[in-house]
Amino acid sequence: LNAVDLDMVRSLYKYSKHWNSQNNLKSVYFKGAGGKAFCAGGDIRSLYDAKFSDDSEERTILHDFFRDEYRMDYALCNMKPLQVCLYNGIVMGGGVGISIHSPVKIATDNSLFAMPETYIGFFCDVGGTHFLPRLEALGTYLALTGDRVKGADLVKTGIATNFIPADQIEAFEQEYFEGVTADSTHDDIRAIIAKYSQAPNEEPIDNLEKINKAFSHKKVEEIYAALGDMGSDEWAEKTLKTLSKMSPISVKVVNESLIRGADLSLKDCFIQEFRMSQRFMAGKEFFEGVRAALVDKDHKAQWSHKSIEEVTDDEVQSYFEPLENDLEL
């Protein structure tokens, strides 16, 4: 579903530089091919294969992919042309990185957003440590559980900026492509988008009050305790069951990354994330998660820790330590 591979990353980085040099180019429109997904994530299977390869050149992707992906993501969000992204389908992982920092993100009835990295023993990267903490308790909930947000709820949560009904996308795109010219301002382009956009209903997203109550805590142990204190509440029980399937080290590292990211610039978040990515690439957790989810598909990952209580603070902090100078992003 439109997975992002290293060649695509490098092409997009090259194009972003070219687009920035074109004074007559006023907007760049991103949409996924095939109609099912914007982009469902990075090509993590290639990372798994490289980890166990005897070819040292092939293993360089474990460093190169993240270095180049984060540079590409940062370059896209600093373009002069107005970046417009259409979420008419699934958007996860690497697809989030390409688009989430865009000034215009359009959700439709078909949108499905998630960052399920804790399920594969990884962390919410591609700038996730920047935008998720700015969603406050909801961001922590989405990061730790990998829960999905659909349709107009993307606008309610602040993930998307606009909602256009799926049956209006064709008409919108026709006016966008015909109406945007070399003389268009960003306000002109936004006016076209606004013409087709609809405000979501005023109903809060499901279980938001409970999410705020449990996931506003800073420590993972406190979050779990708050969920447990809800007793036989069906949502709380389901959430705890979901968390029990996630990598304990990932859950605690992700939580720490959001606490740190809340006070960092986007650029500094990418620097932090690159350090984290290299610690995960050097370890076993991510590769066990990929094995269970995508290779053997038994969905029975054997995590390095049986519970969050086994994960020490020192182990969590080690994921954030600077790399050797020549390895930093």
Side-chain angles (χ1 to χ4, degrees):
L1 296 174
N2 301 332
V4 179
D5 61 22
L6 186 55
D7 287 341
M8 188 185 301
V9 163
R10 288 172 172 169
S11 292
L12 279 172
Y13 181 77
K14 179 180 178 181
Y15 278 120
S16 72
K17 297 300 184 182
H18 173 71
W19 293 329
N20 250 354
S21 69
Q22 305 300 301
N23 292 328
N24 291 332
L25 181 63
K26 297 305 172 69
S27 184
V28 181
Y29 189 68
F30 286 73
K31 65 184 292 187
K36 293 184 178 180
F38 176 80
C39 170
D43 182 15
I44 57 177
R45 178 59 192 264
S46 66
L47 300 174
Y48 179 90
D49 292 340
K51 178 71 171 181
F52 300 104
S53 172
D54 294 328
D55 186 343
S56 59
E57 185 173 339
E58 183 178 355
R59 290 198 300 273
T60 61
I61 194 175
L62 300 174
H63 174 278
D64 293 350
F65 180 80
F66 297 100
R67 178 197 64 199
D68 291 356
E69 182 183 29
Y70 299 167
R71 286 177 175 173
M72 177 268 292
D73 291 336
Y74 190 68
L76 287 176
C77 72
N78 283 287
M79 290 194 306
K80 290 184 293 185
L82 184 69
Q83 184 184 7
V84 178
C85 297
L86 178 68
Y87 286 168
N88 194 27
I90 299 168
V91 54
M92 298 182 182
V96 174
I98 291 171
S99 60
I100 197 66
H101 313 291
S102 167
V104 180
K105 301 174 287 288
I106 300 169
T108 77
D109 313 77
N110 303 320
S111 299
L112 187 158
F113 172 98
M115 294 201 77
E117 283 79 8
T118 55
Y119 186 70
I120 57 168
F122 198 51
F123 72 100
C124 303
D125 65 338
V126 296
T129 62
H130 186 266
F131 81 85
L132 285 168
R134 284 153 181 82
L135 300 181
E136 300 179 330
L138 177 63
T140 302
Y141 168 73
L142 295 175
L144 299 190
T145 67
D147 200 6
R148 300 174 175 185
V149 182
K150 300 178 181 179
D153 280 352
L154 270 76
V155 175
K156 294 182 184 180
T157 58
I159 294 169
T161 57
N162 299 77
F163 175 80
I164 297 179
D167 61 6
Q168 292 294 305
I169 292 298
E170 184 176 353
F172 156 66
E173 289 184 335
Q174 181 175 350
E175 183 164 350
Y176 171 86
F177 289 119
E178 292 178 357
V180 177
T181 70
D183 296 323
S184 297
T185 65
H186 286 189
D187 286 343
D188 294 334
I189 300 166
R190 290 179 185 275
I192 295 173
I193 297 166
K195 177 180 176 180
Y196 291 89
S197 296
Q198 293 184 4
N201 62 50
E202 296 182 358
E203 297 178 6
I205 65 170
D206 293 342
N207 301 301
L208 182 59
E209 184 176 345
K210 296 174 186 177
I211 289 170
N212 287 335
K213 183 176 181 180
F215 287 85
S216 61
H217 294 282
K218 294 300 183 184
K219 292 186 177 181
V220 172
E221 292 85 354
E222 294 173 348
I223 292 172
Y224 282 45
L227 290 167
D229 289 344
M230 294 182 187
S232 58
D233 180 85
E234 182 179 354
W235 173 83
E237 289 181 341
K238 180 181 178 182
T239 301
L240 279 170
K241 184 177 180 180
T242 295
L243 288 167
S244 72
K245 299 176 183 178
M246 307 308 185
S247 157
I249 185 63
S250 287
V251 168
K252 295 202 77 172
V253 168
V254 165
N255 189 64
E256 177 66 17
S257 73
L258 302 190
I259 293 171
R260 290 172 178 245
D263 297 320
L264 296 177
S265 67
L266 178 58
K267 181 178 180 180
D268 286 337
C269 279
F270 277 123
I271 292 171
Q272 170 181 270
E273 289 177 5
F274 185 68
R275 293 169 180 170
M276 297 167 67
S277 76
Q278 296 311 287
R279 270 44 189 262
F280 276 103
M281 291 305 99
K284 298 179 180 179
E285 199 82 342
F286 169 72
F287 301 99
E288 171 59 15
V290 174
R291 179 207 64 75
L294 298 177
V295 180
D296 296 337
K297 299 182 180 179
D298 58 23
H299 298 281
K300 296 179 180 179
Q302 300 300 308
W303 301 124
S304 58
H305 302 79
K306 294 181 180 179
S307 68
I308 58 168
E309 287 78 16
E310 290 186 5
V311 182
T312 67
D313 290 343
D314 285 346
E315 186 174 1
V316 172
Q317 297 307 317
S318 71
Y319 281 77
F320 300 89
E321 293 296 325
L323 304 169
E324 294 180 17
N325 287 336
D326 60 333
L327 295 178
E328 289 278 27
L329 183 62

